[in-house]
Amino acid sequence: MQLSEQERVRRDKLATLREMGINPYPAAQFDYTHTSKQVKENFKEGEKVVVAGRLVSRRIQGKASFAELQDGEGRIQVYFNRDEICTGEDKTLYNEVYKKLLDIGDFIGIEGELFTTQVGEQTIKVLDFQLLSKALKPLPLPKKDREGNEYDGFHDAEQRYRQRYADLAVNPDVKEIFKKRSALFTAMRDFFNAQGYMEVETPILQSIPGGAAARPFITHHNALDIPLYLRIANELYLKRLIVGGFDGVYEFSKNFRNEGMDRTHNPEFTAMEIYVSYKDYNWMMEFTENLLEHCAMKVNGTTKAKFKDHHVDFKAPYKRVTMTDAIIEYTGFDITGKSEEELRKAALDMGLEVDETMGKGKLIDEIFGEKCEGNYIEPTFITDYPKEMSPLCKEHRDNPDLTERFELMVCGKEIANAYSELNDPIDQRERFEEQLKLAKKGDDEATEFIDYDFLRALEYGMPPTSGLGIGMDRLIMFLTDNPSIQEVLFFPQMRPEKKKVELTEEEKIVLELLKQESPQELEAIKSASGLSNKKWDKAIKGLRSKDQATVDKTDEGLFVKLL
């Protein structure tokens, strides 16, 4: 393992501490009396306190030092004075341990007394301290110039996502995002629980991937010797519980879809789904807008939120627009009664990319997604979807070509989806069979399975029910003004991290030439490098072994190519 100079120095300090009989990673519990927030909110001059946290800054001035300690709730200033800490002749604890062997990033515990500095800063005067954990790698803390301006902060998105632990430690605003995420889940739970609905858990490993149109992740159960699928949705299991007699159930579920990644999609995401018996989608619309108004207030203290250049208000009620009217408004095309070929032609005329595998439902979805969706900024319910788009949704009571479904659009994105649930087992079987036809036609998002156990459950009878699904990651994006889903996930999926390759000076020369042009004729780049035959051979061999370059033989000769 290649260590930096700072990392080597910290390991030397670690060894010195152990030689002095100081355990840099003590096992004993450390009982603190206050957090930084509690100290500030209940500050009493002269009060004795015990605090713990990470050392994040210090200014040593001889026998005195001001420093900052950071815990889970913020930062507090602490004051080290050699003679207050070391009251006898032995000044080792201050002169050696504190000044020389502690580093920024170390965790320490402090016993001290509260006082206010001459400039009015609430501070803890340290009477004693102990090392709780030695940090062997320096934190990527921002630096400040003489004017107090910060620079060299830890802002590279890829590094922040890969090293979220460091990101949280040095960027306080990031921690606030996840506190709000937690507040959102709590607010939603409280809203449901207050109405008597029960939180449940359903399987993540499923024998049939159902409840949505998506490509699943596949695994294998060795003991049962059967393929299993990571959950794409929990809908069908929650409906089974309604069949079983629960009047209202909800679940925050981790779902997995083996599809593309972008700023609003992650293959692993969190959804909330709730199902309430004896309700329909009209009731669910009102329920949803009241729920989101409640959540916005609990998370931000206001129903208003800013997202990129948009300002939205989650206060109920929300506008309602049918899908047919939305498409007419933004394209002039009426989808009512149109055949698959008519829809495909219309989509092509609109400049959309469509193919023969797409049925009516997917064609309509493509038209709406490309031409209409982005226009809905304020929370808007898009209602009454064509039947082909909603295989689990009840037929509309007034129009057999439509379903009783809505999606909630905010800032041009869908964040909620709800139905009057289909509870006719014969109709449901026919819808599943139609999905099979689409799958055979080549639609890789149509379900390839019929969940016969779910059909059996419906045959026992499911009461009229309405269900709602909300993408929790996307909702918190809107409530915290984060345009990237990776910002609101602690550990988003990333490509494997490339290990840093150490190159010799000769290898660097050749690599720089290849970055300017690749491939290059071998003799030409060898000449341009200015290396001797021996050094050239060694450099090329090294670059090939480190997978940085390759030498290809062609009819025109030997060429060196950058990998």
Side-chain angles (χ1 to χ4, degrees), residues 427-487:
D427 189 358
Q428 181 65 83
R429 183 183 294 269
E430 291 171 354
R431 305 268 196 102
F432 279 159
E433 288 170 349
E434 184 61 31
Q435 285 284 299
L436 277 181
K437 292 177 184 176
L438 290 173
K440 290 177 181 177
K441 191 177 176 181
D443 186 343
D444 60 4
E445 288 188 350
T447 181
E448 301 177 51
F449 307 93
I450 293 181
D451 190 337
Y452 290 105
D453 179 70
F454 175 65
L455 291 174
R456 177 169 57 191
L458 287 185
E459 288 171 355
Y460 279 109
M462 185 175 85
T465 298
S466 184
L468 166 72
I470 292 178
M472 298 299 290
D473 307 316
R474 194 171 289 179
L475 178 56
I476 198 61
M477 286 169 62
F478 292 131
L479 291 175
T480 58
D481 192 15
N482 274 295
S484 171
I485 195 171
Q486 285 80 14
E487 291 289 352

Side-chain angles (χ1 to χ4, degrees), residues 235 239 273-276 279-281 284 392-395 404 417-424 428 454 462-468:
E235 177 171 342
K239 288 181 183 177
E273 293 203 24
I274 182 168
Y275 292 81
V276 185
K279 308 298 183 186
D280 66 6
Y281 82 138
M284 189 60 83
L392 297 168
C393 187
K394 184 170 283 190
E395 183 179 286
E404 296 199 345
N417 186 21
Y419 307 156
S420 294
E421 300 296 337
L422 180 58
N423 59 346
D424 178 343
Q428 181 65 83
F454 175 65
M462 185 175 85
T465 298
S466 184
L468 166 72

